[in-house]
Amino acid sequence: MLNEKRIILMTKMASYEANEGKKNVAIGSYFRSDYIGWQVLKSIISATIAFVVVFAVYIFYDFEMFMMDIYKMDLFAFAKQVLTMYLWTIGIYAVISYVVYTIRYNRAVKSLRVYYMNLRRLAEMYRQ
């Protein structure tokens, strides 16, 4: 005998598994701090690469002027200014990444709780 509620629940669960379920299961397999820490670390690495590329483009844009001014400028102050800009960039990017991945992790865990609750409900339907 076909049970309509059971079929609806199974269809909803199969749709979840096919779409966002794979991603949420991967996220849910981590501890909260491990997942967020790993994602923030990847974000910091990518922000560092982006900063280096943007800085290189800035320097090479007017390389002739930079080379003429390099003997006149205080290199320590210039390095300090670049390092300060780098730290601000990385700090802001890390905070934004932390917030985004915390929200993403919490949503995934909440979604997985609903999924596991539906699994228990489906198992209970089969027992009856």
Side-chain angles (χ1 to χ4, degrees):
M1 186 79 148
L2 293 176
N3 186 344
E4 189 175 321
K5 288 182 181 180
R6 187 170 50 193
I7 292 172
I8 291 172
L9 183 60
M10 288 171 52
T11 305
K12 185 177 12 171
M13 290 173 56
S15 174
Y16 174 79
E17 287 174 1
N19 296 325
E20 65 186 54
K22 292 177 187 176
K23 185 172 48 172
N24 288 345
V25 169
I27 291 171
S29 66
Y30 288 98
F31 289 111
R32 181 180 183 272
S33 60
D34 292 341
Y35 175 74
I36 295 170
W38 177 245
Q39 298 302 324
V40 169
L41 181 63
K42 289 189 328 187
S43 297
I44 289 173
I45 291 170
S46 63
T48 300
I49 292 169
F51 183 84
V52 168
V53 168
V54 169
F55 183 70
V57 167
Y58 170 75
I59 294 297
F60 289 133
Y61 175 71
D62 199 9
F63 192 67
E64 183 179 345
M65 186 64 75
F66 177 74
M67 289 306 290
M68 285 192 291
D69 290 343
I70 198 165
Y71 297 109
K72 299 175 193 170
M73 72 171 68
D74 182 14
L75 291 178
F76 184 72
F78 179 71
K80 185 177 176 182
Q81 182 183 12
V82 170
L83 184 63
T84 303
M85 289 187 324
Y86 170 73
L87 291 176
W88 271 103
T89 303
I90 294 301
I92 291 170
Y93 204 79
V95 168
I96 291 171
S97 297
Y98 179 82
V99 169
V100 167
Y101 288 112
T102 299
I103 292 170
R104 192 173 289 178
Y105 182 83
N106 290 337
R107 285 183 182 166
V109 168
K110 185 178 178 182
S111 178
L112 284 173
R113 282 187 193 135
V114 171
Y115 175 72
Y116 291 136
M117 182 184 68
N118 286 338
L119 275 178
R120 280 188 230 112
R121 193 167 13 145
L122 184 63
E124 184 62 34
M125 286 180 180
Y126 272 112
R127 281 189 215 127
Q128 294 175 357

